[in-house]
Amino acid sequence: MSQKTVLIVGAGIAGASTAWHLASLGGYRVILLEMEDAPDRHSTGRNAAILRTAMPDPILHGLARESLDFYRNPPNGFCSQALFEPVGLYLAATAEASEDFLGWTGNPDCQTGAHRVPSSQLYERIPQLAPGIEAVVHLPEEGVFQVAEIHHSFLRGATKAGAEVRYKHSVEGLCIDEGTLQGLFVNGELLKADSVLIAAGAWASEITREANLPMPLTSYRRHILVTHPLPAVKKDWPVVWIAGAEFYFRPESGGLLLSGCDQQPVAPEHGEISDDSALALAAEKTDRWLPTFTDAEMPFYWAGMRTFAPDHRFIVGPDPRLPGLHWAAGLGGHGITCAPAVGKLAAEWITSGWSKHPQATFLAPGRFPAEPCPR
Ligand SMILES: Cc1cc2nc3c(=O)[nH]c(=O)nc-3n(C[C@H](O)[C@H](O)[C@H](O)COP(=O)(O)OP(=O)(O)OC[C@H]3O[C@@H](n4cnc5c(N)ncnc54)[C@H](O)[C@@H]3O)c2cc1C
């Protein structure tokens, strides 16, 4: 019996995880198509690597917890080192933000293992933190991902199980004949497929645009900055995230990695071009919250794209407008945290045509009304 072919567009964390799950199941010819010469050129290689499963949305929290189980206990032979460092996470809030913050962090559907602690505990850990924190929640099991190890383990495992990864293969669009998906146009040629998964990050909705199958995704640029090594920063500092100030930081290479949480809507081709006003915003917030480090040089910085659906939930599953077309997109700011569950869910939809996953219907592409008019 001939194998069914699944083409995956994008070798970022969404495509890599789905390829790993599909290839591990066996019975499918899986081909990952990546337009760049490496898999980590975009969001998966440009994030803050923070493991934070506590989220105001219980649907995303569920995916994050499921993924944390995977990260804690990956299958034998999956990786050669731990996939994250549980340095702990302090979620904090300013006075203005504390009511909303205490509401959702007190909801067991939105967090697991969070302890409300006095703000003095955070000030003891980070004496350089300026006054102004009203409420604090500690999540001792969360921390910092080894993103490259996770990403490469998915890709390595997928190829070992028979998947192919083709770099410098830019997908131009869908090939549809009389309402039936035939495959993809790639580097000017038709590549036939039984199923196609769009896992193209900020470019996801561009790929189906020509076929008149839009998906409401918007990308927002965000900057990350890294200081020079700072003697006052301890290696075992936790991750700190301040709601109300929209500022986070964590230790990195002897210094600090931080973000002022800028979010500028952008077209993908502009999403990684740094913007001085966003760098100034991060400097301003550093000055407000970590004044000891006001003069710290921040020689390393970059911008990346966080891509969202209007309801900020991921888009995972089959597109009801075109049989064979699937999505794993709109992973926003939690794509690394939730990748194992997203890949499993996307693979389940492709192989079974249905899913009993508790989050499946909330993430299904069909929740967005659209005209079924493939060309
Ligand atoms: C600044 C920043 C901080 C973040 N911090 C965190 C964090 O701390 N924790 C967390 O969990 N998440 C974080 N995220 C979010 C996380 O990085 C993303 O959700 C995740 O990487 C998205 O993965 P992806 O595979 O969907 O997209 P990508 O990694 O962008 O992968 C998509 C791939 O598709 C390819 N592609 C696009 N178009 C085509 C085409 N036509 N043909 C072939 N290939 C194509 C691209 O080249 C790319 O490699 C952050 C993101 C940013 C930007």
Side-chain angles (χ1 to χ4, degrees):
M1 206 176 75
S2 70
Q3 283 184 318
K4 288 194 168 169
T5 299
V6 181
L7 298 180
I8 298 178
V9 188
I13 199 81
S17 171
T18 310
W20 180 83
H21 280 96
L22 275 175
S24 306
L25 288 170
Y28 287 82
R29 181 171 184 230
V30 180
I31 305 176
L32 262 164
L33 300 163
E34 170 53 55
M35 67 179 176
E36 304 289 1
D37 59 355
D40 53 1
R41 295 281 182 245
H42 300 295
S43 304
T44 300
R46 294 173 165 266
N47 55 76
I50 294 171
L51 161 57
R52 168 191 155 175
T53 68
M55 301 179 195
D57 184 343
I59 301 301
L60 298 188
H61 174 62
L63 289 178
R65 290 304 297 186
E66 182 184 331
S67 299
L68 181 57
D69 287 345
F70 180 96
Y71 286 133
R72 274 200 187 122
N73 300 301
N76 273 346
F78 179 76
C79 49
S80 50
Q81 63 179 80
L83 297 175
F84 68 96
E85 220 182 314
V87 294
L89 163 69
Y90 281 92
L91 290 177
T94 59
E96 306 78 62
S98 63
E99 191 181 335
D100 177 56
F101 172 80
L102 290 174
W104 76 261
T105 54
N107 179 352
D109 292 337
C110 299
Q111 54 75 21
T112 309
H115 311 286
R116 174 108 198 253
V117 295
S119 34
S120 56
Q121 188 182 113
L122 176 56
Y123 284 107
E124 272 163 36
R125 289 294 306 274
I126 316 279
Q128 294 82 355
L129 189 62
I133 299 295
E134 181 78 12
V136 180
V137 160
H138 185 213
L139 293 118
E141 299 175 338
E142 320 234 332
V144 178
F145 282 122
Q146 299 296 335
V147 178
E149 177 68 12
I150 294 168
H151 193 194
H152 288 280
S153 297
F154 276 131
L155 291 171
R156 200 171 39 234
T159 47
K160 219 168 150 187
E164 276 177 64
V165 189
R166 298 186 187 171
Y167 294 108
K168 296 189 182 172
H169 277 63
S170 182
V171 173
E172 286 126 17
L174 304 175
C175 175
I176 301 168
D177 188 23
E178 296 184 357
T180 304
L181 178 66
Q182 304 292 320
L184 292 169
F185 292 111
V186 186
N187 291 351
E189 286 179 16
L190 169 62
L191 211 52
K192 291 200 161 214
D194 298 284
S195 304
V196 163
L197 177 79
I198 308 289
W203 288 266
S205 57
E206 311 248 308
I207 289 160
T208 57
R209 193 185 307 280
E210 266 288 294
N212 203 16
L213 293 167
M215 198 47 86
L217 288 164
T218 308
S219 296
Y220 296 84
R221 176 169 51 205
R222 174 161 291 178
H223 291 69
I224 303 278
L225 298 88
V226 179
T227 69
H228 267 315
L230 300 164
V233 172
K234 304 278 173 283
K235 240 180 107 181
D236 67 347
W237 271 13
V239 180
V240 178
W241 198 309
I242 309 176
E246 311 323 322
F247 179 59
Y248 63 76
F249 62 90
R250 66 167 178 81
E252 173 63 49
S253 308
L256 285 174
L257 176 150
L258 54 91
S259 177
C261 296
D262 52 304
Q263 37 193 357
Q264 174 72 24
V266 278
E269 63 272 25
H270 298 127
E272 291 160 1
I273 301 170
S274 283
D275 168 1
D276 287 348
S277 66
L279 300 177
L281 178 74
E284 206 177 283
K285 292 188 182 183
T286 306
D287 188 40
R288 162 66 184 89
W289 290 102
L290 294 169
T292 314
F293 304 124
T294 297
D295 295 327
E297 281 180 54
M298 301 190 194
F300 312 107
Y301 56 84
W302 61 89
M305 287 174 281
R306 299 152 73 245
T307 300
F308 293 92
D311 58 7
H312 279 220
R313 285 183 173 160
F314 308 161
I315 301 180
V316 186
D319 192 318
R321 299 167 296 182
L322 183 65
L325 177 63
H326 292 255
W327 294 81
L331 271 52
H334 302 299
I336 309 302
T337 305
C338 298
V342 166
K344 186 175 174 204
L345 178 57
E348 188 176 50
W349 275 116
I350 292 168
T351 55
S352 322
W354 67 287
S355 171
K356 59 178 184 328
H357 194 283
Q359 273 87 24
T361 50
F362 298 100
L363 305 175
R367 70 188 190 272
F368 300 111
E371 291 301 306
C373 47
R375 288 200 291 251

